[in-house]
């Protein structure tokens, strides 16, 4: 007999739920996997019996009480999601607060994860105006080398070289279609090696000639804001930003001002 992956998952869930029922019958209090399996299986069996979604969820909410689970389980199993096959098709059942009547232990419970003090955020070294020319939204994450961000973002690429967004780690900034805004940047820390991203650097950011070569690559690939622009006297320059790697203005002849 061949079983689909969904059918194998259902049998595994059923086996775990039967183990939980047997242990509860012996007077044992259930742990997190056992409680979760029993609640989910109750929904699936109710659906198989022809009950509607709301009835299946209500039945799952009544299968376990505070005396059926170990201390702290109700704090962990706050919601159970399971896909069950009802008479009108496959439906996702969301069982909220499934251990009915359980009193939570609160933030001081044994094993609770307590957040530490937040690290102070640095002040932006560079502030750039960014315009999204694409018809779709573009998001840039906190530690992406901003110089190599989406080529349809129009901003001073030279000023963004070696920089990342000045936002908390793991967060991002979204640019709406044809939208624009200001972003703050800070230098990339550590050993300042940029590997991957868009492949415009792939090496040490501060190596001799790395910035100039990356700008040439970006301009050749059509990255907006990477092509040289001209100063008020008509001479081409590659960037006007400030900060590490961008504190000078380079003229076409290589001299620095």
């Amino acid at each position: 007999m061949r079983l689909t992956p969904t059918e194998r998952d259902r049998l595994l869930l059923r086996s775990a739920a039967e183990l939980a029922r047997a242990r509860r019958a012996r007077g044992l209090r259930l742990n997190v996997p056992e409680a979760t399996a029993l609640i989910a299986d109750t929904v699936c069996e109710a659906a198989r019996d022809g009950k509607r979604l709301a009835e299946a969820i209500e039945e799952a909410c009544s299968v376990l009480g505070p005396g059926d689970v170990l201390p702290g389980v109700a704090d962990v199993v706050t919601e159970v999601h399971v896909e069950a096959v009802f008479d009108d098709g496959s439906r996702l059942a969301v069982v909220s607060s499934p251990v009915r009547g359980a009193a939570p232990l609160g933030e001081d419970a044994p094993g609770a994860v307590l957040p530490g003090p937040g690290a102070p955020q640095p002040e932006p070294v560079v502030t750039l105006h960014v315009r999204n020319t694409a018809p779709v939204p573009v998001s840039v994450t906190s530690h992406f080398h901003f110089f190599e961000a989406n080529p349809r973002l129009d901003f001073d690429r030279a000023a963004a070289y070696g920089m990342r967004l000045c936002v908390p780690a793991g967060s991002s900034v979204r640019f709406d279609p044809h939208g624009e805004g200001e972003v703050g940047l800070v230098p990339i820390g550590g050993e300042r090696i940029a590997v991957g991203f868009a492949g415009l650097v792939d090496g040490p950011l501060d190596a001799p000639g790395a910035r100039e070569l990356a700008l040439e690559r970006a301009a050749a690939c059509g990255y907006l804001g990477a092509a040289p622009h001209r100063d008020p006297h008509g001479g081409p320059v590659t960037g006007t930003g400030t900060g590490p790697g961008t504190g000078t203005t380079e003229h076409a002849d290589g001299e620095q001002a």
Side-chain angles (χ1 to χ4, degrees):
M1 180 176 64
R2 289 189 176 183
L3 299 175
T4 66
T6 300
E7 290 168 337
R8 288 197 295 268
D9 289 344
R10 179 69 188 96
L11 287 176
L12 180 62
L13 176 62
R14 178 67 178 183
S15 298
E18 286 301 309
L19 177 62
R21 290 186 177 96
R23 289 179 174 173
R24 185 175 64 166
R26 299 204 311 266
L28 298 177
R29 303 176 76 178
L30 304 183
N31 58 24
V32 169
E34 294 163 350
T36 303
L38 182 53
I39 294 164
D41 183 70
T42 301
V43 172
C44 294
E45 288 302 297
R48 185 67 178 84
D49 291 339
K51 296 180 180 178
R52 301 181 64 83
L53 177 62
E55 296 172 326
I57 293 175
E58 179 63 26
E59 186 171 326
C61 285
S62 61
V63 70
L64 291 177
D68 296 317
V69 297
L70 291 168
V73 169
D75 293 79
V76 177
V77 186
T78 58
E79 198 170 70
V80 175
H81 294 221
V82 60
E83 188 174 353
V85 180
F86 293 84
D87 288 345
D88 56 352
S90 181
R91 308 279 294 277
L92 177 65
V94 180
V95 185
S96 300
S97 302
V99 185
R100 180 164 293 177
L105 296 180
E107 296 181 354
D108 297 329
V113 177
L114 303 178
Q121 289 299 311
E123 293 294 325
V125 175
V126 173
T127 300
L128 295 181
H129 183 82
V130 181
R131 182 170 61 92
N132 181 14
T133 66
V136 295
V138 175
S139 293
V140 182
T141 53
S142 60
H143 282 63
F144 194 90
H145 185 200
F146 201 76
F147 168 82
E148 303 183 62
N150 193 293
R152 295 300 91 196
L153 294 180
D154 190 5
F155 59 91
D156 189 346
R157 299 272 171 178
Y161 183 83
M163 314 289 280
R164 67 171 181 86
L165 286 167
C166 185
V167 296
S171 60
S172 63
V173 173
R174 171 190 166 105
F175 301 96
D176 292 328
H178 304 295
E180 52 189 291
E182 305 284 333
V183 296
L185 304 179
V186 293
I188 293 175
E191 297 182 356
R192 290 180 57 78
I193 297 176
V195 177
F197 301 110
L200 299 179
V201 181
D202 276 342
L205 289 163
D206 301 323
R211 179 171 176 267
E212 292 76 11
L213 180 59
L215 280 166
E216 291 176 5
R217 289 172 175 169
C221 293
Y223 279 71
L224 296 178
H229 57 277
R230 296 188 173 274
D231 63 20
H233 303 290
V237 297
T238 57
T240 58
T242 59
T246 61
T248 59
T249 301
E250 296 184 0
H251 297 271
D253 57 6
E255 294 181 357
Q256 295 183 346

